[in-house]
Amino acid sequence: MPNIKVAILGATGTVGQRFVQLLQDHPWFEIAAVVGSERSAGRTYGEACRWVLDSEMPAAVREMTVLEDTASLDTPLVFSALPSSVAGPIEERLAAAGHIVCSNASNHRMEIDVPLLIPEVNPDHLQLIDIQRQRRGWSGAIATNPNCTSTPLTMALRPLLDKFGLRRVMIVSMQALSGAGYPGVPSYDSVDNVVPFIGGEEEKVESEPQKMLGVFRDEKVVPAGFNTSAQCNRVPVLEGHLESVAVELATQPPIEDVVAALRDFQALPQELSLPSAPGQPIVVLDAPDRPQPRRDRDTGNGMATVVGRVRACPLFGYKFVILGHNTIRGAAGGSLLNAELMVAQGYLG
Amino acid sequence: MPNIKVAILGATGTVGQRFVQLLQDHPWFEIAAVVGSERSAGRTYGEACRWVLDSEMPAAVREMTVLEDTASLDTPLVFSALPSSVAGPIEERLAAAGHIVCSNASNHRMEIDVPLLIPEVNPDHLQLIDIQRQRRGWSGAIATNPNCTSTPLTMALRPLLDKFGLRRVMIVSMQALSGAGYPGVPSYDSVDNVVPFIGGEEEKVESEPQKMLGVFRDEKVVPAGFNTSAQCNRVPVLEGHLESVAVELATQPPIEDVVAALRDFQALPQELSLPSAPGQPIVVLDAPDRPQPRRDRDTGNGMATVVGRVRACPLFGYKFVILGHNTIRGAAGGSLLNAELMVAQGYLG
Amino acid sequence: MPNIKVAILGATGTVGQRFVQLLQDHPWFEIAAVVGSERSAGRTYGEACRWVLDSEMPAAVREMTVLEDTASLDTPLVFSALPSSVAGPIEERLAAAGHIVCSNASNHRMEIDVPLLIPEVNPDHLQLIDIQRQRRGWSGAIATNPNCTSTPLTMALRPLLDKFGLRRVMIVSMQALSGAGYPGVPSYDSVDNVVPFIGGEEEKVESEPQKMLGVFRDEKVVPAGFNTSAQCNRVPVLEGHLESVAVELATQPPIEDVVAALRDFQALPQELSLPSAPGQPIVVLDAPDRPQPRRDRDTGNGMATVVGRVRACPLFGYKFVILGHNTIRGAAGGSLLNAELMVAQGYLG
Amino acid sequence: MPNIKVAILGATGTVGQRFVQLLQDHPWFEIAAVVGSERSAGRTYGEACRWVLDSEMPAAVREMTVLEDTASLDTPLVFSALPSSVAGPIEERLAAAGHIVCSNASNHRMEIDVPLLIPEVNPDHLQLIDIQRQRRGWSGAIATNPNCTSTPLTMALRPLLDKFGLRRVMIVSMQALSGAGYPGVPSYDSVDNVVPFIGGEEEKVESEPQKMLGVFRDEKVVPAGFNTSAQCNRVPVLEGHLESVAVELATQPPIEDVVAALRDFQALPQELSLPSAPGQPIVVLDAPDRPQPRRDRDTGNGMATVVGRVRACPLFGYKFVILGHNTIRGAAGGSLLNAELMVAQGYLG
């Protein structure tokens, strides 16, 4: 069993905290360094971090000193929870210096030679790493995970595209407060309210699935052909993005076949038994009023995509509800599973 | 100025309370009777009614005795806030007995000779009253207002259909808790949660606009030709239904023309200066993050339809956000405006 | 290791669901019967129960048939989650018939020969069982656990009374919605609101601790001498009762001694390693803004009492904040620990 | 009728916005200047201010240019909504320069020659202005209003002290999110949670009432003799601080006399019919579950103190619930009424 030392960039933020939480007792990875801003540097993680998660801060990191300088990092694997305002160049320098960077930041997601990866969806896109190294002359590499709203959507679309073909996708999201980070949304804006706007979100949701569901051919990814329209809303929920989705397929399968395609979906992470892979990538609920964020977000330890209310749509043929845990599978957990896949595929350790 | 005595059926429920609240100091109507269930009958309204609105219970009704029997009612106008489980036959008996019944119940909405009415949208459908009386031999009549989610949607669609033609409408609603009545949604289900299901709601939203936007010809209403798909969610908001809407028009006007069509929409209630008509039926907001339920639901005293984020949709051409106050314009206020139109049109008093 | 079959009364309600949840995989107890109302009787638990907890319904009970008649019960141990409106006579009949009834209902709590029990606080009060059997001629017995607000309060008062003496206790509670059961508090009353009243609650909190902290002497419990005043409020929180408490002690120890007395408190359930006993009965937090319901209610699997902000009070000498999980330690979990103590003390199996 | 030009310091913050809202259409005062931070200076108020209140931003101020420099202010009256981190010296300079400064900041509240004023409670303390001018050689003056939690508490204590004498006051507050300003409390901390700590709050609540209820004698205020203990909590409510209060009086009046003393309390602002004075300073509700923040905070346009559940306390004799609107009467509205009193008393205009 591999034992790989990892560093976490942006370790004191909410996504950074999720990395710390999920890496506690991880069978393959061990936190060797926590990196923070100038403000945190030099203090212990326990002092520097305003821990906001409901679980306790792992004792192992509490006494670690927060580093600022990334040049001295010597861990083969680096998880990036940096804000996109600063992530770009830092991640590039680390990749150039030989580190494998698994990033949750949006900066490099859409670059032609950077894998935008969901292990259940497009593991073959990892081949972009070789192109990336070639073109950039890097010994390390950057791999990214998608936006928190794109993640469960793309997971659910994978089997539908494979089995029935995909023409059009209309999605309206009801996104959790934690998606805005911390302090994030002021409570004065969220009580008894919904905010029908999240900056930059709709663009991401309309573009990222195209790349992930695209075909890797002749050293590049050919975007999938379907079209998407997204409308994103912020609702007073702590964790778990809920999505009302309508899809137009290339064929007209009966509803039960669509349910079966989702429910029976199996993928590489499950075959490889990756440590963070959920037993079932997509869980379909039968109750008429599920999934619900609070009651279903922890399905598969927050790594599964939960689907419900699969039914006929008068316009597109099919509509259903999708739920994904935005700060686990949609952020830190997604990056972590990417790293596990890279280990299993021999890119690491 | 007319002075018309009115009775309220289901007066102690939440919609009934809204009727009581909106009829306080009304220039034309005066509450002469409050009707309730067997349990309330004989007690004063103050005793029988667990008042849940934030304003105070009007002193005028506090001492009125709640009636159970509707046979003895002698008011020309009756507002019905009855649950659909009992509304049907009671409303029919009252119409047969010569009362004008303005009903918020769903029972008769889709009947071929019953007007499903939004005064700004289809005032001409009032002609169905004559057909109704003819066919049923009634001296009174039943007029209904649409479902709380259909109301602001249909209002916004009216000018779009008139100016540009309408092909397809995709709507996802985020509906307020008050829409479920009182006690309605248990708080244990709504805190930190969204429920992606509201029984019977999607069917109503997919059918009612067709009738209201249909053309009255040869003594009946020919449904409008466009198709609709609805997905309805319950969010932790007190009042105000928010709707993410995408529309496909028959033509391709520039966005600013769509905005203008909505903003400049004028209608009969405004021309007639009906007491409860909002100055502007549709208010378009420019801020990128509006409308928001808590901050915008009271626009036009809760009688206006508020629209925002009008923008291009990659699939349908146009998408925007709609907000309507569900217990005012979407329920009691809608019925009240219907009654005011009937007075102005000579059907009453 | 004992293997004792148990029945749950009121099994489909929220407290009943907690019993089912906590008894899943219990080392000593096995659910042999679930009892419900006439409405549920004859249906499977899965059909009859509207499961509201966030965890999944245990598969083991899903297919069990809900019984109505309690006469035929043959389990030595019965947990009662019955509402106080019906619990009284049913629990008495079962005790007379030889069952040990561990009840969460308030009916018998204050009866002179019925133990009102918190295993960490007054295990010796179990001796009341012998008096009870003698006086009532029962082969079985009734033991009760206190009200959800009294539980953590009494737990925190135990070491203070023992070490410093107790004169007066002023408590203001901020209680979770789940305390009202399901459907319980309508969401329309709880959003953006606090309700400063909970029927019957203040009386219970002012009386129950007196009995539990009383001394067992000459076959009865002599109530503790201190006085209590309680003010109870309902806040928009799912689980976890928060209590602002001020206490006047008989002596004037320094604050750190009070903290030490709470933190170092050890009791019988911990010595006996009862399966549901928390490692530490009272957990004292140092952060200035803790305990918080959402972040700290699950301390010790929801069985610990969490204390924070121990500081000087200008009036009473000492004030602090207490948090307890109301549906675990304050209800089903409390009853369960009582049963475990009775087993360990030889009253059962 | 006076027409006095006023300036607002910290005009773009939440309290500043309340000043703008309450001064709209004020019969005596007219906003002549809005002052903000360096960041806002030079922009129009409409651009610089992220308006968070539910009402619309008054058109009159939207186009006003936000000033930074206070030296050039020429309005006789200045309202200060500055944070205490900067308020001190700025307010002093303005008072020295001849302005009457009505401040909501805490900096000068407890200074011996500065009135801490609630017009219904201690209008005679205005005499401190003369002492203040004498001692400091100012042509202007500073008058302050108390903390948002102290305000309704002190108002309710006034008639009790006068009629029955006051010995001890125990208060536990459940405070609204708006009290923390904007952005204030992160929504991630407030959903499904209560925070049992508000920095510096308990000290203010334990000291301010002593000064306000003190007697002005020999050119200074002799603090009232009673003792107070406060515990402050932050609850998920938008506006309105709820307080559970127990009081020990010098005498033992029957409950109904205590209720009468509160209900019948009349004071100078009502006699003078000051524009912002509520018709009744203290409104006592009879319903067992009131006052509630959302339903009762707007009583008397948010300027009244609402009391309920007056009952016996086993420890102190009397306990009750108090509600006050924290950003209206507890902040901007309190300052405004202070200014109105100063006009009526000839200190201004």
Side-chain angles (χ1 to χ4, degrees):
Chain A
M1 199 150 67
N3 180 326
I4 300 170
K5 296 205 179 316
V6 307
I8 303 170
L9 309 184
T12 61
T14 40
V15 175
Q17 291 180 31
R18 277 286 180 202
F19 273 113
V20 168
Q21 183 189 55
L22 296 174
L23 285 165
Q24 177 177 27
D25 312 316
H26 192 280
W28 297 358
F29 304 137
E30 177 192 347
I31 301 176
V34 286
V35 184
S37 65
E38 189 181 7
R39 195 176 36 65
S40 306
R43 303 160 65 195
T44 65
Y45 187 78
E47 295 160 358
C49 174
R50 163 134 182 45
W51 187 261
V52 298
L53 302 183
D54 296 356
S55 70
E56 258 193 62
M57 180 189 292
V61 295
R62 186 179 293 281
E63 294 312 315
M64 294 180 77
T65 301
V66 178
L67 310 174
E68 182 187 2
D69 174 32
T70 57
S72 60
L73 288 180
D74 60 359
T75 62
L77 178 59
V78 175
F79 289 110
S80 170
L82 292 172
S84 53
S85 53
V86 302
I90 296 177
E91 294 176 359
E92 288 170 20
R93 274 196 302 274
L94 286 164
H99 302 272
I100 295 290
V101 180
C102 288
S103 172
N104 183 59
S106 59
N107 309 58
H108 302 289
R109 282 179 192 158
M110 298 306 288
E111 287 171 9
I112 191 167
D113 60 352
V114 174
L116 178 59
L117 192 68
I118 297 178
E120 285 91 343
V121 169
N122 59 338
D124 59 313
H125 289 198
L126 261 186
Q127 300 171 77
L128 283 175
I129 295 287
D130 308 316
I131 321 292
Q132 181 188 127
R133 288 172 160 169
Q134 223 168 53
R135 297 182 61 226
R136 310 202 186 201
W138 289 350
S139 51
I142 296 176
T144 63
N145 57 284
N147 162 281
C148 48
T149 305
S150 304
T151 301
L153 173 65
T154 309
M155 184 96 92
L157 293 179
R158 172 85 279 176
L160 301 185
L161 173 62
D162 295 347
K163 284 219 158 48
F164 314 114
L166 201 53
R167 292 249 173 83
R168 321 211 284 178
V169 179
M170 183 82 79
I171 168 178
V172 173
S173 69
M174 290 156 278
Q175 304 186 210
L177 299 161
S178 57
Y182 188 89
V185 182
S187 50
Y188 196 73
D189 288 338
S190 77
V191 173
D192 182 20
N193 205 22
V194 171
V195 178
F197 176 72
I198 300 175
E201 193 79 354
E202 294 172 353
E203 296 71 10
K204 291 173 190 163
V205 177
E206 291 177 356
S207 60
E208 292 179 0
Q210 308 292 332
K211 177 174 179 179
M212 287 184 277
L213 292 169
V215 177
F216 181 81
R217 184 189 308 129
D218 309 333
E219 310 210 323
K220 63 179 187 309
V221 171
V222 183
F226 64 91
N227 291 316
T228 305
S229 177
Q231 301 175 71
C232 298
N233 302 280
R234 184 78 66 192
V235 295
V237 163
L238 286 164
E239 304 275 0
H241 288 354
L242 196 69
E243 307 174 359
S244 292
V245 178
V247 296
E248 182 177 308
L249 303 175
T251 56
Q252 277 70 42
I255 296 292
E256 49 274 25
D257 291 10
V258 174
V259 171
L262 293 163
R263 182 170 273 147
D264 303 342
F265 176 57
Q266 282 301 324
L268 190 57
Q270 285 70 35
E271 286 167 34
L272 298 173
S273 303
L274 298 181
S276 303
Q280 235 179 312
I282 300 174
V283 173
V284 180
L285 301 179
D286 297 323
D289 61 352
R290 307 295 279 265
Q292 295 174 12
R294 193 183 87 231
R295 293 186 163 119
D296 299 308
R297 61 195 169 202
D298 292 330
T299 306
N301 298 318
M303 291 296 285
T305 292
V306 190
V307 176
R309 301 200 69 210
V310 183
R311 60 206 193 282
C313 171
L315 295 182
F316 277 18
Y318 309 89
K319 50 188 176 183
F320 43 81
V321 177
I322 296 177
L323 175 71
H325 195 302
N326 56 297
T327 61
I328 297 182
R329 187 56 190 253
S335 252
L336 178 55
L337 191 61
N338 285 354
E340 291 171 0
L341 178 66
M342 292 178 79
V343 170
Q345 304 285 56
Y347 286 88
L348 230 167
Chain B
M1 200 150 67
N3 180 324
I4 299 170
K5 296 204 178 318
V6 307
I8 302 171
L9 310 183
T12 62
T14 40
V15 174
Q17 291 180 32
R18 277 289 179 200
F19 273 113
V20 168
Q21 183 189 56
L22 297 173
L23 285 166
Q24 178 177 26
D25 312 316
H26 192 280
W28 296 357
F29 303 138
E30 177 193 346
I31 302 177
V34 285
V35 184
S37 65
E38 187 181 7
R39 194 175 36 62
S40 306
R43 303 160 65 194
T44 66
Y45 187 77
E47 295 160 356
C49 174
R50 164 135 179 45
W51 187 261
V52 298
L53 302 183
D54 296 356
S55 68
E56 257 191 64
M57 179 189 293
V61 296
R62 186 179 293 282
E63 294 313 314
M64 293 180 78
T65 301
V66 178
L67 310 174
E68 182 186 1
D69 173 33
T70 56
S72 59
L73 288 180
D74 60 358
T75 63
L77 177 58
V78 175
F79 288 111
S80 170
L82 292 172
S84 53
S85 53
V86 302
I90 296 176
E91 294 176 357
E92 288 170 20
R93 273 196 302 274
L94 285 163
H99 302 271
I100 294 291
V101 180
C102 287
S103 173
N104 182 60
S106 59
N107 309 58
H108 302 290
R109 283 179 190 157
M110 299 304 288
E111 287 172 8
I112 191 169
D113 60 352
V114 174
L116 178 58
L117 191 68
I118 297 177
E120 286 90 344
V121 168
N122 58 338
D124 58 314
H125 289 198
L126 261 187
Q127 300 169 79
L128 284 175
I129 295 287
D130 309 315
I131 320 293
Q132 180 188 128
R133 288 171 161 172
Q134 226 168 49
R135 296 183 61 228
R136 309 201 186 202
W138 289 349
S139 50
I142 295 176
T144 64
N145 57 284
N147 162 281
C148 47
T149 304
S150 304
T151 301
L153 173 64
T154 308
M155 184 97 92
L157 293 179
R158 170 87 277 174
L160 301 185
L161 173 62
D162 295 348
K163 284 220 158 47
F164 313 114
L166 200 53
R167 291 248 174 83
R168 318 211 286 180
V169 179
M170 184 81 79
I171 169 178
V172 173
S173 68
M174 290 156 279
Q175 305 187 209
L177 300 162
S178 57
Y182 187 90
V185 183
S187 52
Y188 197 73
D189 288 337
S190 77
V191 172
D192 182 20
N193 205 23
V194 172
V195 177
F197 176 72
I198 301 175
E201 194 79 355
E202 295 172 353
E203 295 71 11
K204 291 172 190 164
V205 178
E206 291 177 355
S207 60
E208 292 178 1
Q210 308 292 334
K211 177 175 179 179
M212 287 183 278
L213 293 168
V215 176
F216 182 81
R217 184 190 307 128
D218 309 334
E219 310 211 321
K220 64 178 187 307
V221 170
V222 185
F226 63 92
N227 292 316
T228 305
S229 177
Q231 301 175 72
C232 298
N233 302 280
R234 184 79 65 193
V235 295
V237 162
L238 287 164
E239 303 276 0
H241 288 355
L242 195 69
E243 308 175 359
S244 292
V245 178
V247 296
E248 183 177 307
L249 304 175
T251 57
Q252 278 72 42
I255 296 292
E256 49 274 26
D257 292 10
V258 174
V259 171
L262 292 163
R263 183 170 273 147
D264 303 342
F265 177 57
Q266 282 300 325
L268 190 57
Q270 286 70 34
E271 286 167 35
L272 298 174
S273 305
L274 298 181
S276 302
Q280 234 178 312
I282 300 174
V283 173
V284 181
L285 302 179
D286 297 322
D289 61 351
R290 307 296 278 264
Q292 295 174 12
R294 195 184 86 230
R295 292 184 164 120
D296 300 308
R297 61 195 169 202
D298 291 329
T299 306
N301 297 319
M303 290 297 285
T305 292
V306 190
V307 176
R309 303 200 65 210
V310 183
R311 60 206 193 281
C313 171
L315 295 183
F316 276 18
Y318 309 89
K319 51 187 175 184
F320 44 82
V321 178
I322 297 177
L323 175 71
H325 196 301
N326 56 298
T327 60
I328 298 181
R329 186 56 189 253
S335 252
L336 178 56
L337 191 62
N338 285 354
E340 292 171 0
L341 178 65
M342 292 177 81
V343 170
Q345 303 285 56
Y347 286 88
L348 231 168
Chain C
M1 201 151 66
N3 180 325
I4 299 171
K5 297 205 177 319
V6 307
I8 303 171
L9 310 184
T12 62
T14 41
V15 174
Q17 291 180 31
R18 277 288 180 201
F19 273 113
V20 167
Q21 182 190 56
L22 296 173
L23 285 166
Q24 178 178 26
D25 313 316
H26 191 280
W28 297 357
F29 303 138
E30 176 193 348
I31 302 177
V34 286
V35 184
S37 65
E38 187 180 7
R39 195 176 35 63
S40 306
R43 302 161 64 194
T44 65
Y45 187 78
E47 295 160 356
C49 174
R50 164 136 181 42
W51 188 260
V52 299
L53 302 182
D54 295 355
S55 68
E56 257 192 65
M57 180 188 293
V61 296
R62 185 179 294 280
E63 294 312 315
M64 294 180 77
T65 300
V66 178
L67 311 173
E68 182 186 2
D69 173 34
T70 56
S72 59
L73 287 179
D74 60 359
T75 63
L77 177 58
V78 175
F79 289 110
S80 169
L82 293 171
S84 53
S85 54
V86 302
I90 296 176
E91 294 176 358
E92 288 169 22
R93 273 196 302 275
L94 286 163
H99 303 272
I100 295 290
V101 180
C102 287
S103 171
N104 182 60
S106 59
N107 309 58
H108 302 290
R109 282 180 191 158
M110 298 305 288
E111 287 172 9
I112 191 168
D113 59 352
V114 174
L116 178 58
L117 193 68
I118 297 177
E120 285 92 343
V121 169
N122 58 339
D124 58 313
H125 288 199
L126 261 186
Q127 300 171 79
L128 284 175
I129 295 287
D130 308 316
I131 321 292
Q132 180 188 129
R133 288 171 161 172
Q134 224 168 50
R135 297 182 62 227
R136 310 201 186 201
W138 289 349
S139 50
I142 296 175
T144 63
N145 58 285
N147 162 281
C148 48
T149 305
S150 303
T151 301
L153 173 65
T154 308
M155 183 96 92
L157 293 179
R158 170 87 277 175
L160 301 185
L161 174 63
D162 295 347
K163 284 218 159 47
F164 313 114
L166 201 53
R167 290 249 174 84
R168 318 209 288 178
V169 179
M170 184 81 79
I171 168 179
V172 173
S173 68
M174 290 156 278
Q175 305 186 210
L177 299 161
S178 57
Y182 186 88
V185 183
S187 51
Y188 197 72
D189 288 338
S190 77
V191 173
D192 181 20
N193 205 22
V194 172
V195 178
F197 175 72
I198 301 175
E201 193 78 355
E202 295 173 353
E203 296 70 10
K204 291 173 189 163
V205 178
E206 291 178 355
S207 60
E208 293 179 0
Q210 308 292 334
K211 177 176 179 178
M212 286 183 279
L213 293 169
V215 177
F216 182 81
R217 184 189 307 130
D218 308 336
E219 310 212 322
K220 62 178 186 311
V221 171
V222 184
F226 64 91
N227 293 316
T228 305
S229 177
Q231 301 175 72
C232 298
N233 303 279
R234 184 78 67 193
V235 295
V237 162
L238 287 164
E239 303 276 0
H241 288 355
L242 195 69
E243 306 174 0
S244 292
V245 179
V247 296
E248 182 177 307
L249 304 175
T251 57
Q252 276 72 41
I255 296 292
E256 49 273 27
D257 292 9
V258 174
V259 171
L262 293 163
R263 182 171 274 147
D264 303 342
F265 177 57
Q266 282 300 325
L268 189 57
Q270 286 69 35
E271 287 168 34
L272 298 174
S273 304
L274 298 181
S276 303
Q280 234 179 311
I282 300 174
V283 172
V284 181
L285 302 179
D286 296 324
D289 62 350
R290 307 293 279 264
Q292 295 174 13
R294 195 183 86 231
R295 292 184 164 120
D296 300 307
R297 61 194 170 203
D298 291 330
T299 306
N301 298 319
M303 290 296 285
T305 292
V306 189
V307 176
R309 302 202 65 211
V310 183
R311 60 206 194 281
C313 170
L315 294 182
F316 276 18
Y318 309 88
K319 50 188 176 183
F320 44 83
V321 177
I322 296 177
L323 175 71
H325 195 301
N326 55 299
T327 61
I328 297 182
R329 186 55 189 252
S335 253
L336 179 55
L337 191 61
N338 285 354
E340 292 171 1
L341 178 65
M342 293 178 80
V343 171
Q345 303 285 56
Y347 286 87
L348 230 169
Chain D
M1 199 150 68
N3 180 326
I4 300 170
K5 296 206 178 315
V6 307
I8 302 170
L9 309 183
T12 61
T14 40
V15 175
Q17 291 180 31
R18 277 287 181 202
F19 273 113
V20 168
Q21 183 189 55
L22 296 174
L23 285 165
Q24 178 176 27
D25 312 318
H26 192 280
W28 297 357
F29 303 138
E30 177 192 348
I31 302 176
V34 285
V35 184
S37 64
E38 188 181 7
R39 194 173 36 63
S40 307
R43 303 160 65 194
T44 65
Y45 187 78
E47 295 160 358
C49 174
R50 162 133 181 47
W51 187 261
V52 298
L53 301 183
D54 296 355
S55 68
E56 258 192 64
M57 179 189 292
V61 295
R62 186 179 291 282
E63 294 312 315
M64 294 180 78
T65 301
V66 179
L67 311 173
E68 183 187 1
D69 174 32
T70 56
S72 59
L73 288 180
D74 60 359
T75 62
L77 177 59
V78 175
F79 289 111
S80 169
L82 292 171
S84 52
S85 54
V86 302
I90 296 176
E91 293 177 358
E92 290 170 18
R93 274 196 302 275
L94 285 164
H99 302 272
I100 294 289
V101 180
C102 288
S103 173
N104 182 60
S106 59
N107 308 58
H108 302 289
R109 283 179 191 157
M110 299 304 290
E111 287 172 9
I112 190 168
D113 60 352
V114 174
L116 178 59
L117 193 67
I118 298 177
E120 285 91 342
V121 168
N122 59 338
D124 57 315
H125 289 199
L126 261 187
Q127 299 171 78
L128 283 175
I129 295 286
D130 308 316
I131 320 293
Q132 181 188 128
R133 288 172 161 170
Q134 225 168 51
R135 297 182 60 225
R136 310 201 185 200
W138 289 349
S139 51
I142 295 176
T144 64
N145 58 283
N147 162 281
C148 47
T149 305
S150 305
T151 301
L153 173 65
T154 308
M155 183 95 93
L157 293 179
R158 172 85 278 175
L160 301 184
L161 173 62
D162 295 348
K163 284 219 159 50
F164 314 115
L166 202 52
R167 291 249 174 83
R168 320 211 285 178
V169 179
M170 183 81 79
I171 168 179
V172 172
S173 69
M174 289 157 279
Q175 304 186 210
L177 299 162
S178 57
Y182 187 90
V185 182
S187 51
Y188 196 73
D189 288 339
S190 77
V191 173
D192 183 19
N193 205 22
V194 172
V195 178
F197 176 73
I198 301 174
E201 193 79 354
E202 294 172 354
E203 296 71 8
K204 291 172 189 163
V205 177
E206 291 177 355
S207 60
E208 293 178 1
Q210 308 292 335
K211 177 174 178 178
M212 287 183 278
L213 293 169
V215 177
F216 181 80
R217 185 190 307 130
D218 308 334
E219 310 211 323
K220 64 180 186 307
V221 171
V222 183
F226 64 91
N227 292 315
T228 305
S229 177
Q231 301 175 71
C232 298
N233 302 280
R234 184 78 67 193
V235 295
V237 163
L238 287 164
E239 303 276 359
H241 288 355
L242 195 70
E243 307 175 359
S244 291
V245 178
V247 296
E248 183 177 307
L249 303 175
T251 56
Q252 277 71 41
I255 296 293
E256 49 274 25
D257 292 9
V258 175
V259 171
L262 293 162
R263 182 170 273 146
D264 303 341
F265 177 57
Q266 281 301 324
L268 190 57
Q270 286 70 34
E271 287 167 34
L272 298 173
S273 305
L274 297 181
S276 303
Q280 235 178 310
I282 300 174
V283 173
V284 180
L285 302 179
D286 297 322
D289 62 350
R290 308 295 279 264
Q292 295 174 12
R294 193 183 88 231
R295 292 185 164 119
D296 300 308
R297 61 195 170 203
D298 292 329
T299 306
N301 298 318
M303 291 295 285
T305 292
V306 190
V307 176
R309 301 200 68 210
V310 183
R311 59 206 194 281
C313 171
L315 294 183
F316 276 19
Y318 310 88
K319 51 188 176 183
F320 44 82
V321 177
I322 297 177
L323 174 72
H325 195 301
N326 55 298
T327 60
I328 296 182
R329 186 56 190 254
S335 253
L336 178 55
L337 191 61
N338 285 354
E340 292 171 1
L341 178 65
M342 292 178 80
V343 170
Q345 303 285 55
Y347 286 88
L348 230 168

